[in-house]
Amino acid sequence: MTATSSSPRHLVVVGGGMVAQRLVEALRARDTAGEWRVTVFAEEPRYPYDRVALTSYFSARDPEELNLGDPALWNDPLVRLVRDCRVDSIDREARQVTDRLGRVHEYDELVLATGSDAARPPIPGNDLPGVFVYRTIDDVAALRGWVEAKREERSGASYDRPVRGAVIGGGLLGLEAAGALTALGAQATVIQFGTHLMDAQVDLGGGQALGRLINDKGIAVRVSTATQQMRPARATGHVGRLDFVDGGRLDVDVVVLATGVRPRDELARAAGLPVGERGGAVVDLSCRTPDPHVWAVGEVACIEGRCLGLVAPGYAMAEVVVDRLLGGGATFPGADTATRLKLRGVDVASFGDAFARTEGAMELVWADPVAGVYKKLVLSDDARTLLGGVFVGDASPYASLRPMLGRELPGDPGSFLLPEGAAGGGAAGLELPDDATVCSCNNVTAGTVRGAVTEHACTDVAAVKACTRAGTSCGSCLPLVKKITTTELEKAGIEVSNALCEHFELSRAQLFDAVRVADLHTFSEIIARFGRVPEVVPDGTPGAPALPDGVAPAGRPGAGLPGAGHAGHPGHPAHPGPGRGCDICKPVVASILASLGNGHILTGEQAALQDTNDHVMANMQKDGTYSVVPRIPGGEITPEGLLVIGQVAKDFGLYTKITGGQRIDMFGARIEQLPLIWRRLVDAGMESGQAYGKSLRTVKSCVGSTWCRFGVQDSVGMAVRLELRYRGLRSPHKIKLGVSGCARECAEARGKDVGVIATDKGWNVYVGGNGGFTPRHARLLAEDLDDETLIRTIDRFLLYYVRTADRLQRTSVWVDEVEGGLDGIRAVILDDSLGIAADLDAAMALHVDAYEDEWRAVLEDPEKLRRFGSFVNAPTTADPDLAYVAERGQPRPATTAERAGAAVLIAGTTLEVRA
């Protein structure tokens, strides 16, 4: 069976998941002599994908976005991936496997990487239609399709209620599934048998804090609840009700089972290999079974008496097997059971002995129920050695503390639980020893990261990742990798670059000041004066400065933008070639020029610098159409205005939605329709809401004292005044404001970049809040301001931010990082500590005076109108690939499956039948 010395030996890997992919990747990276060829049998019809990020499929919708690693791995001549091909049996004596098609394959060594299946608890009715597990892309796709179908049924019925979903199991996967149901528009209830959520990872105190956070996400929770039976609905036969042991019941339309996994060890059992008490192929610390030619890795491996359902131990096993196959003596280093919840807006992590089961262990707890924060450290009996930790609501110390597991903490352990920025608080300053593991997925230590900087001349995080593999898997360690990298660069006396990009050594704030002081007005002037970009000559050799396409440098002939662009968008500047600016610096320069009042964004060189949305002054949607968002200051609109929007949406077949920012969004406009739509809106007195730009979006308001019996100030009037003042203000990131007429805060002003809340004496102003991926509450800047002082204060805050923030830096981050923090901002704005208050006031006055509606300007300029056409040779022809279906009485983009079906609404016009 052993291969000859002239041919590589054959390794067969059964299973095509994350651990199998890591094993093959590691083997090809280390087997430089080509000793092994590998055949991988994957039961799913896909390349190995990131199962940890499975929930993101609900937003991505493209399975390939979850694919792992470099696709070139599967084109390696020594690697063969056989997809959609299950292995049915193993003949250990002959060293052969037989696949589902009856084909026999010989092996020299065999690795079982079959993973696990989702467990189905023995509850009567668990096989009813509408009951799902949450394990594979197919599972998630089926769940999504079911919920969408149920929503469609609701929209066409005489009653309208949301789809009701239940998740049985309140662990990591169950909470992710509940979040997915909520994102799909369903009501979600988590049913947990134990006393609290995530009871395998966090203690009771942490679980109770987590329960409150989950409730705040609109997800109901029932703990200490056992499901007795699932009953079908009489009308459909689909799952319709859950009956609980305590006599309770819950009506449902969909159920997700998330009660754990069981190892896929059927091949091992059939081959006569020993399995653990709870399943899994038994292996030793080398990951070898009692058969010297059969190995097991990942969730199917029973190592040290248990199966490990986490990806990091599986990766470690894969590396051990590779080392052994190449003649090494590696052994399994032990399981890193640290976990972190991946649910937007809910930060949870635990590691080590989270339940303080070690003899003599001490628990140090910080709890802030109002803020929804619970932190706990588990320490040795002398309060020095870190044994574990639990973080709920604020897991920022997790990345720095987890590598310290089993080590003595320097200083007072309690200081590591205090909020970052508190006196003596936070784990950010903790320096890790060289042998502390930073990236558990790839087993990279702090010393290895430091060595990448000191020994391998890596000068940024991207280079460190490429050199060490740290942060290339789940990515949770990247903040720590960046901190270590920056610290080492500073120690070595290497200046940590804050350069905007390869074309500008200046930061955005520095470039803003340079352009303002030098009074420059074009990209050509700016890059010639402050850029360091080498020209790219035909052979690729660096030379002289390069400019955006069609732009000639000062003193050279040929200046001017091209008249035609890429197919589909006539008049658009062609895509930039090498060395002609980049996707980082061009939008930044465009923003700077716009902020300094350099005219319309589609005028001259300005047009060459815009990104996709600003090119056509509309937000591109997933099917290539655009949204139209007229400005509705303060959310206040007349009946006549509503009628205009409604008639436009009806005439053009647009999907309409009232946004969270008190505006009306119209979706599905084709590019050639945009001028026609905006002509109608502009003629009716409306203007662009600039939903496409890094600029002011909305000023949300409640009804205030005008109507509300609790209102103490006119919040609508103030919101309108602010929105009309700051409309069109280009900034490093989008900005939103809110005005509440009393302390009840109906406008949610403290979740905005600038929040204004009425008091009996005037207005309180808060700054630095935002929603998005990492929500932040705004903090109090000033109190009891009169109208004029309030507006002057906001003027200065916004312009100080515009001038000094980094590229794509939100106000929440900027407030923390600008010199002096919030106190420094207060001194600049209120006390004029830098002597720039008059300059900021004058700059805002210039902005207000120079404002023009961008869409009105386009409609009055034939040259700008040339940009809006579907095709170069047929600018008014509709794209034939656009297809829609009706949902709740409105058109939405058809899915791939729906495009092949019937009753498809084509190009937003009439219902037709597709063959």
Side-chain angles (χ1 to χ4, degrees):
M1 293 298 304
T2 304
T4 65
S5 58
S6 60
S7 62
R9 290 181 287 171
H10 188 206
L11 173 68
V12 169
V13 180
V14 182
M18 299 177 70
V19 175
Q21 190 270 349
R22 169 54 62 86
L23 189 146
V24 177
E25 188 179 58
L27 181 61
R28 291 306 305 126
R30 296 177 58 181
D31 181 20
T32 56
E35 296 179 29
W36 291 92
R37 64 184 178 91
V38 188
T39 301
V40 180
F41 290 94
E43 193 167 323
E44 292 187 67
R46 298 183 173 86
Y47 289 100
Y49 58 88
D50 187 356
R51 199 183 304 275
V52 173
L54 191 61
T55 300
S56 66
Y57 178 57
F58 282 103
S59 56
R61 299 233 170 190
D62 183 355
E64 293 187 1
E65 292 185 24
L66 296 178
N67 286 355
L68 289 166
D70 186 348
L73 175 67
W74 308 113
N75 296 323
D76 190 306
L78 291 176
V79 177
R80 179 184 175 216
L81 174 63
V82 187
R83 293 180 287 169
D84 194 19
C85 191
R86 184 184 65 251
V87 169
D88 283 342
S89 64
I90 303 170
D91 185 338
R92 291 165 49 204
E93 185 174 348
R95 287 199 226 168
Q96 295 174 338
V97 298
T98 302
D99 66 26
R100 68 176 179 86
L101 300 176
R103 297 174 299 190
V104 176
H105 309 268
E106 296 185 344
Y107 65 82
D108 291 294
E109 300 290 324
L110 174 68
V111 177
L112 299 177
T114 48
S116 59
D117 268 338
R120 280 186 176 266
I123 302 172
N126 68 2
D127 56 350
L128 286 170
V131 179
F132 297 88
V133 294
Y134 198 84
R135 184 66 180 163
T136 68
I137 284 180
D138 289 340
D139 294 333
V140 172
L143 172 62
R144 184 184 68 202
W146 182 273
V147 173
E148 290 177 344
K150 288 294 181 182
R151 285 169 52 195
E152 184 70 21
E153 291 175 11
R154 298 289 180 273
S155 65
S158 58
Y159 59 94
D160 187 11
R161 64 166 174 79
V163 176
R164 300 162 301 191
V167 179
I168 298 179
L172 281 164
L173 197 61
L175 294 180
E176 284 195 50
L181 285 175
T182 303
L184 289 172
Q187 289 179 344
T189 300
V190 177
I191 313 299
Q192 171 71 332
F193 180 75
T195 58
H196 60 278
L197 298 175
M198 286 183 64
D199 56 2
Q201 291 84 26
V202 304
D203 60 0
L204 181 60
Q208 290 172 339
L210 174 58
R212 289 190 289 270
L213 293 176
I214 295 297
N215 285 151
D216 289 343
K217 300 286 289 182
I219 299 171
V221 177
R222 294 185 62 144
V223 297
S224 301
T225 301
T227 304
Q228 184 177 54
Q229 184 173 343
M230 303 183 197
R231 294 184 179 272
R234 291 182 180 179
T236 63
H238 302 163
V239 66
R241 194 178 88 195
L242 299 183
D243 291 343
F244 302 123
V245 172
D246 61 9
R249 53 184 282 182
L250 180 70
D251 291 333
V252 294
D253 301 298
V254 60
V255 174
V256 180
L257 301 176
T259 54
V261 296
R262 58 184 182 188
R264 289 280 309 273
D265 58 11
E266 59 269 22
L267 275 177
R269 291 177 184 270
L273 292 169
V275 296
E277 183 179 347
R278 296 188 177 182
V282 174
V283 297
D284 59 20
L285 291 180
S286 70
C287 299
R288 196 194 308 257
T289 70
D291 184 325
H293 300 289
V294 180
W295 315 71
V297 295
E299 294 173 317
V300 73
C302 178
I303 192 164
E304 296 187 306
R306 59 176 177 156
C307 294
L308 302 165
L310 298 169
V311 70
Y315 281 172
M317 294 180 204
E319 298 284 355
V320 168
V321 171
V322 167
D323 187 75
R324 291 279 179 160
L325 292 175
L326 297 177
T331 57
F332 182 62
D336 180 359
T337 58
T339 53
R340 191 160 191 174
L341 177 62
K342 293 166 287 299
L343 182 61
R344 182 170 296 185
V346 181
D347 206 5
V348 182
S350 72
F351 66 96
D353 182 12
F355 297 94
R357 294 183 175 124
T358 304
E359 185 177 354
M362 300 173 58
E363 298 178 88
L364 188 61
V365 176
W366 164 286
D368 184 351
V370 175
V373 174
Y374 177 91
K375 304 180 190 179
K376 181 180 80 171
L377 294 184
V378 180
L379 305 164
S380 59
D381 55 5
D382 59 0
R384 292 183 178 180
T385 303
L386 179 63
L387 302 179
V390 174
F391 303 97
V392 177
D394 175 16
S396 55
Y398 168 76
S400 295
L401 286 174
R402 190 186 72 171
M404 294 297 292
L405 186 65
R407 303 172 185 274
E408 286 195 9
L409 291 176
D412 177 13
S415 66
F416 299 112
L417 296 182
L418 296 176
E420 301 291 349
L430 185 63
E431 184 165 345
L432 301 178
D434 280 346
D435 61 345
T437 300
V438 170
C439 175
S440 60
C441 291
N442 297 294
N443 197 28
V444 181
T445 64
T448 302
V449 174
R450 293 186 179 109
V453 176
T454 58
E455 300 173 19
H456 300 285
C458 296
T459 57
D460 57 28
V461 172
V464 170
K465 287 173 63 179
C467 180
T468 66
R469 295 176 58 88
T472 58
S473 295
C474 77
S476 63
C477 63
L478 278 177
L480 187 55
V481 172
K482 180 178 180 180
K483 188 188 83 170
I484 296 173
T485 301
T486 300
T487 300
E488 288 306 305
L489 288 171
E490 291 173 345
K491 284 182 180 178
I494 300 172
E495 183 178 355
V496 180
S497 174
N498 62 354
L500 181 63
C501 66
E502 60 179 312
H503 306 100
F504 290 98
E505 293 182 347
L506 304 176
S507 68
R508 181 198 176 278
Q510 292 169 332
L511 186 59
F512 188 103
D513 279 341
V515 171
R516 180 174 61 88
V517 173
D519 194 26
L520 304 180
H521 302 276
T522 66
F523 188 92
S524 303
E525 296 171 333
I526 294 169
I527 199 167
R529 178 78 176 270
F530 301 112
R532 58 178 180 85
V533 186
E535 182 182 71
V536 177
V537 295
D539 64 356
T541 313
L547 307 170
D549 282 357
V551 180
R556 295 188 188 179
L561 291 168
H566 56 82
H569 297 281
H572 285 210
H575 290 301
R580 298 179 181 271
C582 66
D583 290 338
I584 294 176
C585 65
K586 291 197 303 177
V588 169
V589 171
S591 172
I592 291 172
L593 291 174
S595 298
L596 292 172
N598 278 263
H600 197 282
I601 62 170
L602 300 184
T603 299
E605 280 193 24
Q606 281 275 78
L609 305 177
Q610 306 302 331
D611 60 19
T612 301
N613 290 332
D614 280 311
H615 266 312
V616 293
M617 300 194 309
N619 273 340
M620 179 181 283
Q621 305 305 309
K622 67 179 184 180
D623 65 342
T625 60
Y626 296 88
S627 63
V628 174
V629 188
R631 186 174 298 286
I632 302 178
E636 183 180 71
I637 188 170
T638 64
E640 290 78 12
L642 284 173
L643 289 170
V644 169
I645 292 176
Q647 194 61 50
V648 166
K650 182 177 181 180
D651 290 349
F652 288 90
L654 306 179
Y655 172 98
T656 57
K657 182 184 184 302
I658 296 176
T659 72
Q662 296 179 325
R663 301 195 293 192
I664 298 176
D665 221 336
M666 294 177 278
F667 294 88
R670 303 191 303 273
I671 189 169
E672 77 277 5
Q673 293 178 323
L674 291 174
L676 303 175
I677 293 170
W678 276 109
R679 170 59 68 191
R680 298 265 295 272
L681 296 173
V682 168
D683 287 349
M686 297 183 183
E687 64 178 37
S688 171
Q690 291 186 303
Y692 46 82
K694 296 292 186 288
S695 58
L696 175 73
R697 295 294 178 86
T698 64
V699 182
K700 187 174 182 180
S701 73
C702 64
V703 296
S705 59
T706 307
W707 290 93
C708 180
R709 59 197 173 99
F710 300 113
V712 294
Q713 300 286 352
D714 179 11
S715 57
V716 177
M718 179 55 71
V720 171
R721 187 174 178 184
L722 294 176
E723 186 156 348
L724 295 179
R725 185 171 183 82
Y726 303 128
R727 58 187 173 177
L729 180 64
R730 298 280 167 162
S731 54
H733 207 291
K734 64 184 178 184
I735 49 179
K736 298 180 181 180
L737 280 69
V739 183
S740 287
C742 73
R744 285 171 174 78
E745 249 285 71
C746 292
E748 301 168 327
R750 291 196 62 193
K752 304 293 188 289
D753 298 277
V754 177
V756 179
I757 301 177
T759 71
D760 291 331
K761 300 177 182 178
W763 305 95
N764 289 350
V765 59
Y766 297 79
V767 296
N770 63 254
F773 189 78
T774 306
R776 298 279 294 272
H777 268 107
R779 289 175 280 173
L780 183 65
L781 178 67
E783 297 180 273
D784 297 328
L785 306 180
D786 59 44
D787 288 7
E788 298 308 318
T789 305
L790 171 70
I791 291 173
R792 184 171 63 250
T793 300
I794 298 174
D795 283 355
R796 294 175 180 179
F797 173 80
L798 290 177
L799 276 179
Y800 189 37
Y801 162 66
V802 166
R803 291 188 174 190
T804 61
D806 202 355
R807 180 182 73 93
L808 298 181
Q809 188 176 47
R810 301 198 76 148
T811 57
S812 56
V813 179
W814 172 75
V815 167
D816 289 334
E817 296 187 359
V818 71
E819 185 175 355
L822 182 60
D823 288 338
I825 293 171
R826 190 178 289 112
V828 170
I829 292 172
L830 302 181
D831 303 328
D832 196 15
S833 61
L834 297 181
I836 62 172
D839 182 32
L840 296 177
D841 294 342
M844 184 58 75
L846 179 63
H847 163 75
V848 173
D849 292 341
Y851 171 77
E852 68 169 343
D853 175 38
E854 290 175 347
W855 262 107
R856 178 181 291 276
V858 166
L859 296 173
E860 295 172 353
D861 187 334
E863 184 63 27
K864 293 185 177 67
L865 283 172
R866 290 182 60 241
R867 309 174 67 83
F868 299 92
S870 295
F871 301 94
V872 173
N873 58 350
T876 62
T877 301
D879 187 343
D881 290 331
L882 297 176
Y884 300 86
V885 296
E887 182 169 270
R888 294 183 297 280
Q890 296 203 83
R892 66 157 172 81
T895 65
T896 302
E898 289 166 339
R899 286 171 181 268
V904 175
L905 182 65
I906 306 296
T909 53
T910 58
L911 282 172
E912 301 177 0
V913 175
R914 277 196 169 181

